[in-house]
Amino acid sequence: MNLRRSAAALAAATVLGMAAVPAASADTPLPPGLYGTGDPTYDGVWRQSYALLALDTAGVRPADSAVAWLTGQQCADGGFPSYRADAAKACDAKTEDTNATGIAVQALTALGGKDAVVKKATDWLTSVRNKDGGWSYNPGGASDPDSTGVVIGALAAVKQDVKASQDSLKAFQFGCDAKAADRGAFGYPMNGKLTVNAKATADAVRGARGAGFVVTAPTANTAAKAPDCASPDAFKSLDAAGSASAGAAYLTAQLTAGGAHLTAVTPGADKPTPDYGTTADAVIALAAGGNLDTAKSSYDWLAKNSAVWSKGNPAALSQLVLAAHATGNDPKSAGGADLVQQLTNLGPKPAAAASASPSASDKAEKKDDKSSSATWWIVGVFFVASIGVGFLVSGRKKKQG
């Protein structure tokens, strides 16, 4: 499960007094075709789309049932919610979100053959774009850099013009009036103020570069640069590419300071802990701009520590596969682990497979997924408490607070 989304959902559930169930119960078995065994209420479409994207880049053709599950989640107006338990029932428009829809568009576009579904989804996305060119998590809210970055990737995938939306991201960037360590970073808007946020920075850098979650590995390194603040208006004159480069320079500095990875502080912890998910996001964002050296160094760290974070978790495994793809590495040999095989084992047998493992290992991975999911639900709560990302999904009435 993606940490930001699972954490935000948990925080909202806590506020609303909702019970959070880390794994599907025997009374409510998961539908066929879905990747992972964790409760899909908050991340079903997200993790499924991620898995389909990752497998496609690795040359694995997902099962028809996996694609059908995803397309079956679409609402009549074209948007996608995080999860529809009963696809036969009409959607509640309040549950549709731009992030689920944006990543679904990217996955279905990459796979091909679902033009009608993709067009309805992109039409919905453009219909809920804010006047400033950006998007909120749920339609009607203020734009945020994370959601805007996801949707830019979706629209770019279908060859739509995203320049105005790329330019809108600059409103979230810290410039020369910020302290030196924060310049170039993007912030998440909370209570009318921007708070420096590495996750927002990674998503905004990727969006400003017009990239989605699948990035082709650059062949040479290009150093990320921030403008010289000898001129106090240096940031104001940047175009989207320059803004992205400044954001990448901030990420590079943070990754270098952290020993090739980003960190997060959780309540009660004696020291910062590794932020695996945002590090993977940063790898892809940096690779999208040719910042290969830092991206590869951070991917190497992720690969060496993949078992700590990703085992049994379809979204995390997908992030790692896509990070490997973006840096020209082999996801089938990541610190001795075959990430593609692990991901394959968490879903239906591929239509044309990368040597899918037999049922014994598949059962082992499914069991691990339950344990991993439960752990992530707990970690997610503390993560939100530390950085306030729960505000990201403030418009969600039922699933997010």
Side-chain angles (χ1 to χ4, degrees):
M1 181 184 295
N2 176 275
L3 181 54
R4 176 170 63 85
R5 286 162 183 79
S6 64
L10 278 173
T14 300
V15 171
L16 296 175
M18 296 166 59
V21 183
S25 69
D27 294 332
T28 55
L30 292 172
L34 179 64
Y35 280 84
T37 61
D39 181 359
T41 300
Y42 306 111
D43 79 328
V45 168
W46 184 261
R47 80 189 193 210
Q48 189 79 353
S49 301
Y50 242 148
L52 298 182
L53 274 173
L55 291 174
D56 182 67
T57 64
V60 178
R61 180 184 170 193
D64 291 343
S65 62
V67 181
W69 184 89
L70 180 58
T71 58
Q73 292 288 296
Q74 187 176 42
C75 299
D77 62 1
F80 282 76
S82 294
Y83 175 63
R84 294 173 69 188
D86 185 354
K89 292 183 178 180
C91 289
D92 177 354
K94 295 178 181 179
T95 67
E96 296 171 283
D97 72 73
T98 60
N99 286 229
T101 307
I103 194 171
V105 165
Q106 293 187 50
L108 295 171
T109 300
L111 293 172
K114 300 297 178 184
D115 293 351
V117 176
V118 169
K119 185 177 187 309
K120 283 181 66 177
T122 53
D123 286 350
W124 182 84
L125 286 170
T126 56
S127 75
V128 299
R129 177 165 39 202
N130 290 330
K131 291 182 179 180
D132 61 7
W135 285 265
S136 60
Y137 193 97
N138 296 107
S143 298
D144 69 74
D146 304 81
S147 299
T148 301
V150 172
V151 180
I152 285 175
L155 298 184
V158 296
K159 312 302 182 185
Q160 288 196 20
D161 184 2
V162 294
K163 184 179 184 304
S165 297
Q166 289 174 281
D167 291 339
S168 76
L169 288 167
K170 286 186 61 178
F172 303 103
Q173 190 165 37
F174 287 83
C176 293
D177 55 346
K179 61 181 182 181
D182 292 341
R183 292 172 187 167
F186 288 78
Y188 190 81
M190 295 187 295
N191 297 329
K193 294 182 179 180
L194 286 179
T195 301
V196 171
N197 188 295
K199 172 64 179 170
T201 302
D203 285 343
V205 166
R206 192 183 65 245
R209 287 171 168 166
F213 293 107
V214 176
V215 169
T216 301
T219 56
N221 182 65
T222 300
K225 295 180 180 179
D228 183 358
C229 280
S231 168
D233 295 330
F235 274 82
K236 294 181 180 179
S237 61
L238 294 178
D239 58 10
S243 178
S245 184
Y250 168 82
L251 289 174
T252 297
Q254 295 298 308
L255 288 165
T256 300
H261 65 85
L262 298 169
T263 59
V265 178
T266 56
D270 294 332
K271 58 183 178 180
T273 55
D275 186 345
Y276 299 94
T278 306
T279 299
D281 287 330
V283 166
I284 295 172
L286 292 174
N291 314 132
L292 185 59
D293 288 352
T294 303
K296 288 187 73 171
S297 177
S298 293
Y299 170 76
D300 289 344
W301 181 88
L302 285 169
K304 291 176 183 177
N305 293 277
S306 66
V308 176
W309 170 52
S310 66
K311 189 173 179 61
N313 187 315
L317 284 167
S318 298
Q319 282 186 283
L320 278 172
V321 171
L322 294 173
H325 181 78
T327 53
N329 283 285
D330 182 3
K332 297 179 181 178
S333 181
D338 186 340
L339 304 175
V340 176
Q341 191 61 71
Q342 288 183 37
L343 180 57
T344 300
N345 291 344
L346 296 179
K349 183 178 180 180
S355 60
S357 286
S359 58
S361 59
D362 180 65
K363 290 179 180 178
E365 292 292 351
K366 293 283 187 178
K367 181 178 180 181
D368 287 335
D369 182 38
K370 293 180 181 179
S371 175
S372 175
S373 177
T375 299
W376 274 60
W377 284 84
I378 296 169
V379 171
V381 172
F382 290 107
F383 185 77
V384 163
S386 67
I387 64 172
V389 180
F391 286 92
L392 173 65
V393 289
S394 59
R396 175 159 300 194
K397 301 298 184 181
K398 184 176 182 181
K399 295 186 179 69
Q400 331 299 94

